[in-house]
Amino acid sequence: MPNEYGVVKEIKHITAKEFAKQVRNSKHQDLVNFKEKEADFYLSCLDNLKAETPVGTHFTERSALTGKAETLKVYKIFIRK
């Protein structure tokens, strides 16, 4: 799965329900089933990051006896000029 890079921005408070609705309404067809539980998970991963911090993200897929699970990794990156 592809990595994504970006910079943390401070925004107004948003609930997981509102965030999930915005994601579902985006133009990405893969995200039409995005749920509030998933939105809460993503927001909790980003909650402790400071504004203007450059970060990278990627998903890790794991197989287990009960099925597959995806984990979102968010990590600080260093940008060279």
Side-chain angles (χ1 to χ4, degrees), residues 18-58:
E18 292 168 335
F19 179 55
K21 183 177 179 183
Q22 286 181 6
V23 171
R24 281 193 305 272
N25 292 339
S26 72
K27 296 178 182 179
H28 298 286
Q29 292 299 328
D30 314 356
L31 301 174
V32 294
N33 295 322
F34 193 76
K35 296 182 177 25
E36 186 176 338
K37 182 178 176 183
E38 295 165 319
D40 188 45
F41 170 73
Y42 291 116
L43 292 173
S44 69
C45 290
L46 301 172
D47 197 31
N48 294 326
L49 297 172
K50 294 180 183 175
E52 304 304 322
T53 302
V55 294
T57 63
H58 73 271

Side-chain angles (χ1 to χ4, degrees), residues 1-14:
M1 294 182 190
N3 289 336
E4 295 291 334
Y5 303 98
V7 176
V8 176
K9 295 290 181 186
E10 193 166 331
I11 61 169
K12 64 179 182 158
H13 178 76
I14 187 170

